[in-house]
Amino acid sequence: MSIKKYTSFEEASKDMWIMNPNDDYYNKLKAHFEFWKKLSNRKIEKGIKKFKSYEEFLKSKN
């Protein structure tokens, strides 16, 4: 990924928003999420989990 330099704040803010995304945009977004998921060591569990105490919740985060 290359670094893009901006000469003004307005120029940078225009690049932040994509008003009309296309299929390529969503494919790149999906690839970014898959990349960061590989780097993360957290496992996401589906559903709702009930904890008896706050300490039990903290233990489950590790």
Side-chain angles (χ1 to χ4, degrees), residues 1 25-37:
M1 183 181 284
Y25 170 80
Y26 289 113
N27 290 333
K28 287 181 181 178
L29 187 64
K30 182 180 176 184
H32 281 263
F33 273 101
E34 289 172 356
F35 172 73
W36 287 109
K37 183 179 175 185

Side-chain angles (χ1 to χ4, degrees), residues 5-61:
K5 294 184 180 182
Y6 300 102
T7 56
S8 68
F9 181 75
E10 289 78 21
E11 184 183 348
S13 64
K14 286 180 186 176
D15 250 5
M16 282 181 19
W17 297 99
I18 311 261
M19 296 300 175
N20 298 317
N22 56 11
D23 289 339
D24 187 43
Y25 170 80
Y26 289 113
N27 290 333
K28 287 181 181 178
L29 187 64
K30 182 180 176 184
H32 281 263
F33 273 101
E34 289 172 356
F35 172 73
W36 287 109
K37 183 179 175 185
K38 289 178 184 176
L39 292 180
S40 176
N41 62 359
R42 294 179 63 195
K43 303 296 178 205
I44 299 173
E45 297 179 17
K46 290 186 177 183
I48 298 172
K49 188 171 183 179
K50 186 175 181 180
F51 299 101
K52 294 181 181 179
S53 65
Y54 183 69
E55 289 77 21
E56 185 182 346
F57 165 71
L58 292 176
K59 287 179 186 176
S60 72
K61 288 182 74 175

